[in-house]
Structure formats: structure tokens, C-alpha cells
Amino acid sequence: MPAPTRTLVLGGARSGKSAFAENLLTDAPTVRYLATAVHDPADHDFADRIALHRDRRPAHWTTVENTEPATVLATASAATLLDDIGTWLTARLDTRNAWDAPRGTVAPDCAALVEAVDAYRERLVIVSPEVGMGIIPATRSGRLFRDEIGTLNQQLARVCDEAYLIVAGLPLRLK
């Protein structure tokens, strides 16, 4: 059986999913870290989270800050860590003004990402939040995000060779 090429790492907030994903690539000679977060200088809490992620990464990893991972994945490089799909989806919903638009407004963006992941032949590890295991959000935007990320996670899981769910820092292999 060939080694997995594409791995999806799911988990809740502060579950340890990013650290687990990073550890999957510790043996790779070069790693391209694809960061999807849109930095807002006024959001000090989020800036602190980004700094923790940066400080944890090995110095020899290359960081690409980009909210268009499908475009970046079109160029095969080295092993790539895509962290994270939730911040990417939020940026897409913002860009498309989709928070109050009909469901499926970001479907073309999601399809392009899934297609790029499916076509990528270097080692790829993808981090995404699993948000569908909690309460039903009280707001339309919360329900929209939950539904869109749930659908996207299913599509990514189908094209990935393996998938993990991280709970309380512990990995559970799903595929």
C-alpha cells in the first residue's frame, strides 16, 4: 500500500489539530506552510494565536500567507500544510458577501479547492475545524458556516487518502 499523499485533520477549537498536522510533516526535508488566516491588526487575540503557530513551526519551513489555496496548490512544490480551511471559508464567505446570500454561494470556490487537493501529488496535510458536533447555532451566519464547512469537510475527506479526528489532543484515525 502506498504512503498517504493527502491527509485531512479535523478537530474542534483547541483540540490540538494543528500541532498534530505539523507533526505529520516533521520528517519532510522542506515544508510549505499555507496560512489562510486574514490578519486583522485590531484583533490582538487572533494575532496572538497566529504568533503561537508561527513560533511553533520549524525555521526551515516556508510560509505562504494566502487566502487562495487552490491557486497555490496548482504549483507543486514540496510537502504542504494547509492551515486552516475554516479561516479560508470565512474569508470566502466575506469576499462573496455570502453571509446573507443563498446557500451554495461559495460552492464554486469549494469545488475549486477540492479539485486542487485531488490533483495535488506532493505530500499534503489539511487542517479543518469540525463544528457539527455541538449545539445548533442561534444565528443564520453560524448555521451557514456550520453547514458549509460540514459539506466541504465531506468533499475533502472523499479525495484525501487518510483522515483523522483530533479530540482533546488525541488522534482518532477515520480513514
Side-chain angles (χ1 to χ4, degrees):
M1 184 172 168
T5 302
R6 297 170 307 263
T7 302
L8 178 62
V9 178
L10 302 165
R14 298 291 198 205
S15 63
K17 61 189 176 290
S18 291
F20 178 82
E22 291 163 7
N23 285 332
L24 291 175
L25 295 171
T26 56
D27 293 340
T30 59
V31 175
R32 174 175 63 174
Y33 184 96
L34 180 50
T36 63
V38 176
H39 180 67
D40 175 2
D43 188 343
H44 300 293
D45 179 61
F46 197 57
D48 290 346
R49 286 178 149 218
I50 291 171
L52 287 173
H53 279 249
R54 273 193 196 125
D55 293 345
R56 190 173 60 214
R57 289 193 296 269
H60 69 277
W61 286 18
T62 302
T63 300
V64 177
E65 294 186 8
N66 189 312
T67 57
E68 298 295 340
T71 303
V72 175
L73 293 177
T75 58
S77 176
T80 298
L81 174 57
L82 171 52
D83 193 359
D84 108 330
I85 297 300
T87 55
W88 172 80
L89 180 61
T90 300
R92 296 314 307 152
L93 289 163
D94 286 345
T95 298
R96 298 264 186 220
N97 294 314
W99 294 105
D100 295 313
R103 299 216 178 221
T105 300
V106 295
D109 300 308
C110 294
L113 176 61
V114 172
E115 184 177 306
V117 168
D118 191 33
Y120 198 73
R121 292 296 172 247
E122 300 292 331
R123 183 75 172 102
L124 175 61
V125 178
I126 304 165
V127 177
S128 188
E130 176 54 62
V131 299
M133 298 167 61
I135 60 170
I136 296 172
T139 63
R140 181 186 190 288
S141 60
R143 290 187 301 275
L144 174 68
F145 181 82
R146 180 209 51 199
D147 293 350
E148 294 287 353
I149 197 76
T151 299
L152 180 54
N153 284 342
Q154 289 180 54
Q155 294 167 347
L156 289 169
R158 275 194 288 276
V159 299
C160 284
D161 303 303
E162 65 181 359
Y164 290 90
L165 175 65
I166 311 303
V167 179
L170 302 173
L172 173 62
R173 187 171 184 173
L174 303 173
K175 174 182 179 182

